[in-house]
Amino acid sequence: MSILIEDVLLDGERKNIRVEGNRIASIDSKEGADTVIDGKGKAAIPGLINTHTHAAMSLFRGYADDMLLQDWLSSRILPLERNLKPEHIYWGTKLACLEMIKSGTTCFNDMYFFMEETAKAAEEMGIRAVLSEGFVDLLNPDVGKERFQSSISLVESIRSMKNDRIVPALGPHAIYTVSPESLQMVSEYAEKENLLVHFHLSETEDEVSACVELHGKRPVLFLEEIGFLNPNLVAAHSVWLNKEEIGLLKKHDVKISHNPVSNMKLAVGKAIPYTEMKEAGLLVSLGTDGCASNNALDMLETIKFAALYQKAYTGDPTVLPANEAVAMATENGARALGIDAGKIAPGKLADIVLIDLTAPQLHPGHNLVSDLAYAVNGSCVDTVICDGRILMQDRKVEGEDEILERANEAALDLVGKV
Ligand SMILES: [Zn+2]
């Protein structure tokens, strides 16, 4: 299978992008192809990469907003989660994938429950995914040993799919829900099996003070002590960090997933120390978090929030400029997840998004990178190609009406049980 995108704007020039199989073959091809896409009036950008999601939480969208974090979690979210069944996860993930594709995302890093369903949904939707079972032992290592089996069985079941687009990972939830013994167990298994570890780190100040009280040191210092900091660790949030902790994260090449919308909505009280992270050379990627704390999965919108949050929080409009914010959602995301994408260049995976340059937000078009960061949102995405397959063209995705209908039914079923 080959695709030729003719006469499309790429890095300021008109180019022909040729895709063969699941890779980009060339960017100056004149050769024909099985499928030809007219790129006039469109710009090609790398598929966006969302490094922190709980996809099936799309069913919770708009169910509980404007509440205090603890109250929100205990009175609204946990009762719903207790009633989750595999079919909720399947349709919730389908809805999330549909929203992601429609807003230009080609890869997501997900942690949740019944992840075999997520794998099935992602496989069918054609999107790339890194998937881990959310692992919690409520600080009891014996419970941890038992429950870790389902993380292992997810890894095995994804591997048996033999689909390079769906990548297994491990998902220890956080320092306050997983015992140190279990964190070590996860880390050792990840190293042995060469897996990414998806984790929530220092989202709130309470989390930091509880760790200091329990272990006598801040979270990153404690995690280093138990050998949990590794290059395969993707740490979501990472808000409440001091300089020493940033240095340690860099030393162990830990990857950060910044979730600006979730952090603002749940009012975690601080923005990530981006300038310090940048100075230290930490890799910062971008994520939305789940739909209960965002409530959208639109990465173009998230790029804008990331940039504005830094400026508003620091009082300095030069912090996190447009090009760095866009790189967070493309190149940096790819590097964080170890995916050979994030750039449009020969040899890279064919994860390509075409932006509709006829949209009013893209006029007069002084600077595309600036427009991507500050002017557009997901509605300006026209075409999405992932792994060399067209998932959306002219904003149409196969089967979208059924997904909306079935996801609505699943959400009503779930809410009705509470
Ligand atoms: Zn999260």
Side-chain angles (χ1 to χ4, degrees):
M1 266 296 290
S2 57
I3 302 171
L4 183 70
I5 310 167
E6 270 185 327
D7 208 13
V8 71
L9 189 69
L10 175 68
D11 303 328
E13 286 175 57
R14 298 266 152 210
K15 298 263 175 71
N16 290 345
I17 304 172
R18 188 185 166 81
V19 171
E20 295 222 25
N22 70 341
R23 300 260 168 190
I24 297 168
S26 69
I27 50 170
D28 49 12
S29 176
K30 297 201 167 53
E31 220 183 308
D34 301 328
T35 307
V36 176
I37 297 174
D38 182 5
K40 278 188 214 75
K42 299 183 179 79
I45 63 165
L48 303 169
I49 297 173
N50 188 342
T51 57
H52 183 57
T53 58
H54 311 288
M57 289 184 100
S58 63
L59 299 187
F60 301 5
R61 189 186 340 255
Y63 180 70
D65 301 313
D66 313 322
M67 297 173 74
L68 290 174
L69 198 148
Q70 214 43 54
D71 188 25
W72 168 82
L73 197 62
S74 58
S75 79
R76 305 287 279 180
I77 300 303
L78 292 177
L80 277 190
E81 288 192 330
R82 275 193 280 275
N83 288 299
L84 279 171
K85 300 230 160 29
E87 61 267 29
H88 299 127
I89 302 294
Y90 176 76
W91 287 109
T93 305
K94 283 261 188 172
L95 175 62
C97 289
L98 178 62
E99 183 186 356
M100 288 192 266
I101 292 167
K102 291 207 117 173
S103 50
T105 293
T106 51
C107 180
F108 67 109
N109 181 33
D110 202 68
M111 174 207 294
Y112 211 48
F113 314 114
F114 302 113
M115 293 297 288
E116 275 90 357
E117 299 295 321
T118 308
K120 193 171 135 207
E123 184 177 48
E124 290 170 5
M125 295 299 287
I127 194 168
R128 201 177 295 286
V130 178
L131 307 177
S132 53
E133 189 80 21
F135 170 73
V136 164
D137 71 1
L138 305 170
L139 306 181
N140 181 338
D142 292 332
V143 172
K145 266 186 213 133
E146 203 184 296
R147 288 201 185 165
F148 192 54
Q149 291 314 312
S150 66
S151 298
I152 295 175
S153 73
L154 177 72
V155 171
E156 287 166 353
S157 114
I158 290 179
R159 283 182 174 162
S160 73
M161 288 166 78
K162 301 207 180 309
N163 183 340
D164 290 343
R165 195 161 43 73
I166 313 292
V167 180
L170 300 174
H173 176 261
I175 204 168
Y176 54 91
T177 46
V178 185
S179 66
E181 292 86 346
S182 291
L183 288 175
Q184 280 172 322
M185 173 176 70
V186 169
S187 203
E188 282 159 20
Y189 186 81
E191 198 183 346
K192 186 168 80 118
E193 295 290 328
N194 194 23
L195 297 164
L196 287 174
V197 176
H198 187 183
F199 183 68
H200 292 90
L201 175 67
S202 297
E203 180 178 4
T204 65
E205 193 176 20
D206 283 354
E207 183 182 333
V208 175
S209 29
C211 180
V212 170
E213 209 162 291
L214 194 63
H215 303 294
K217 48 187 73 158
R218 294 176 63 91
V220 175
L221 280 79
F222 177 69
L223 291 170
E224 188 196 37
E225 188 180 276
I226 64 166
F228 191 72
L229 303 183
N230 286 296
N232 62 355
L233 179 62
V234 180
H237 300 298
S238 305
V239 176
W240 290 86
L241 302 172
N242 66 20
K243 216 168 170 190
E244 186 186 10
E245 291 179 293
I246 291 169
L248 284 176
L249 292 171
K250 173 60 192 172
K251 182 179 156 199
H252 295 282
D253 196 18
V254 173
K255 317 299 192 292
I256 307 299
S257 173
H258 174 36
N259 311 133
V261 179
S262 171
N263 293 163
M264 281 191 266
K265 186 165 183 254
L266 294 173
V268 300
K270 206 168 158 22
I272 58 161
Y274 177 72
T275 303
E276 291 79 359
M277 286 177 167
K278 186 182 158 186
E279 275 166 14
L282 261 184
L283 185 82
V284 184
S285 64
L286 213 51
T288 54
D289 209 350
C291 263
S293 57
N294 186 302
N295 301 356
L297 301 172
D298 183 334
M299 286 293 286
L300 287 165
E301 184 188 89
T302 307
I303 291 170
K304 179 170 180 172
F305 273 105
L308 299 195
Y309 194 16
Q310 284 299 316
K311 297 169 203 305
Y313 186 75
T314 61
D316 179 355
T318 68
V319 178
L320 191 47
N323 61 327
E324 287 172 29
V326 172
M328 276 183 172
T330 51
E331 287 178 61
N332 297 8
R335 283 171 59 201
L337 301 182
I339 305 281
D340 192 19
K343 274 186 185 170
I344 297 182
K348 289 278 172 190
L349 286 167
D351 294 2
I352 303 169
V353 165
L354 302 185
I355 300 287
D356 176 11
L357 294 175
T358 67
Q361 294 95 319
L362 285 136
H363 286 259
H366 288 304
N367 181 333
L368 182 63
V369 175
S370 161
D371 289 344
L372 286 173
Y374 298 123
V376 307
N377 58 37
S379 69
C380 299
V381 173
D382 178 85
T383 297
V384 174
I385 296 169
C386 180
D387 212 37
R389 242 186 84 201
I390 300 169
L391 306 187
M392 176 169 87
Q393 204 168 1
D394 299 326
R395 290 203 61 72
K396 283 185 192 67
V397 178
E398 207 185 306
E400 55 190 301
D401 293 340
E402 191 201 3
I403 294 171
L404 297 179
E405 201 176 308
R406 298 293 298 272
N408 288 351
E409 283 169 16
L412 284 178
D413 178 65
L414 187 60
V415 172
K417 289 197 168 91
V418 175

